[in-house]
Amino acid sequence: MDQRWWRNAVIYQVYVRSFADSDGDGVGDLPGIRSRLPYLAGLGVDALWITPCYPSPMNDGGYDVADYRDIDPLFGTLDDARALLDDAHRLGLKVILDIVPNHTSSAHRWFPEALAAAPGTPERNRYIFRPGRGAHGELPPNDWESIFGGAAWTRAADGEWYLHIFDSSQPDLNWENEEVREEFREILRFWLDLGVDGFRVDVAHGMVKADGLPDVGVTGQRALLDTRPLPYFDQDGVHEIYREWRKILDSYSPARIAVAEAWTSSAERTARYLRPDELHQAFNFHYLQAGWDAAELRAVIDDTLAAVAPVDAPATWVLSNHDVHRHVTRYGGGEVGLRRARAAILLMLALPGSVYLYQGEELGLPEVLDLPDEVLQDPMWERSGHTDRGRDGCRVPLPWSVEGTALGFGPDGSRPWLPQPADWAALSVAAQEGDPRSMLELYRSALRARPAGDFTWVDAGPDLLVFDRDAVRCTVNLGAPARVRASEVLVASGPCEVEGDHMLIPTDTAVWQVL
Ligand code: NOJ
């Protein structure tokens, strides 16, 4: 087995609640994933990343964990997890689990213990409790804001405040506390012993806070995430934790990996998580955030490759996940968005490194922008005072078949936890399978023909991205129709007419050719 499989792997994100529902309760589950593993193997991906499926009150879709060593009954049992791992491995698929170390759920047994204990006790010291400011401690200890809106502090009954960078039901753990560190080392071992191939580390940039918890000094802090370090994110001390984790991962064979969800201000800051004794990969959110613009994309590709080279880590590429609007919609929506998304997957899969796909992008699913208010579940909706509709629009359950009340997501008669738009029958797996013009078949062909080898830019016009991977040329045209020399086409995102020894690449179209 290739010990370094992760360096060019394609990893498919399964958002458990919305992937496949085996028991008809409207929510996706582990047996549902298991039943669809042949689909994933057939798609041609190398691994799955499964979002949290631990026992949880589900205030934040499972990113509020009450017990790190079990499976929520909504999703199945530990035996289902074992069976899923076995089946996946038999099909040659790796499985990466989401681990949530920045915060627990307030339903985790540690939190009621902390609330019941007095200030300064070991029970409280597992979290970040502080006295408030103001004459009577009635003001939060500092000006930090929750990523979901409102203050990042909530007052406990005895007057102390606790920190929660996310929802008030997600208290931040105190990573200065050795007991917390030891607990997570044990949790990693628990799942590694069960056979998982790695972890996606939630809020990997968040566990260590700046000494003295200093004020940021401005409001609207979420907007600063990508431009400057905040005292609660991307602090240097966090890297010490990953050095400990890497030793644990390296003590298992075959290789186990970890990928950081780290929002930082630059590709260089992200690369610090990828030093040889830290984590293996980090999501490339700078790439995800680039617009459909040749210069912008080329700049972020160059920045990324330059940043990962000195630490000898693979670049990663991603366009969508369960926290952002789906890229078909970001790229303009409708026919334009779809055309660009088709070109974008050929660009992304031709770049050197590892690629993350988000479930449903292979079907060309758009963001659902018109979910009724009453079905919204993302805590952002409430915490923003109903000004931010949150992330439910990219979490609508997948359509698998053309018919049925759940379009095959669950058994006929069941109702998915978020309603699927009626026109999603036409986007279902069943509707696209075998249709050579479909997004699904484009993904399948591209995953089969993915180029490899040395990466070299070829200078072309300002709206063209052209590069070679050994003997394969990838051309992405983001401007007016362009003529290139004709040769054998491996995959094209749209029709390219051949005229003599030339080929016409239309606007927003990509093609892989043999040189
Ligand atoms: C990042 C996860 O991707 C997101 O869904 C979650 O709300 C936050 N971390 C908090 O855990």
Side-chain angles (χ1 to χ4, degrees), residues 60 63 103 148 166 200 202-203 261 322-323 391 395:
D60 184 21
Y63 283 96
H103 44 266
F148 293 160
F166 294 90
R200 178 261 188 195
D202 188 62
V203 200
E261 188 225 10
H322 64 295
D323 290 331
R391 302 159 295 175
R395 300 173 175 180

Side-chain angles (χ1 to χ4, degrees), residues 262-326:
W263 293 81
T264 70
S265 51
S266 67
E268 288 73 36
R269 293 292 306 181
T270 302
R272 292 162 59 89
Y273 291 76
L274 307 176
R275 289 175 287 199
D277 57 349
E278 297 193 37
L279 304 180
H280 300 71
Q281 295 183 339
F283 293 107
N284 190 344
F285 295 124
H286 302 285
Y287 185 74
L288 182 150
Q289 285 167 320
W292 184 246
D293 174 89
E296 224 181 298
L297 286 163
R298 178 158 179 169
V300 71
I301 293 167
D302 281 340
D303 270 5
T304 303
L305 295 175
V308 295
V311 288
D312 190 30
T316 69
W317 314 100
V318 63
L319 288 170
S320 281
N321 64 36
H322 64 295
D323 290 331
V324 297
H325 277 196
R326 284 184 176 276

Side-chain angles (χ1 to χ4, degrees), residues 485-486 497-503:
R485 197 184 298 277
E497 269 176 43
V498 175
E499 300 161 349
D501 59 357
H502 281 79
M503 187 168 75

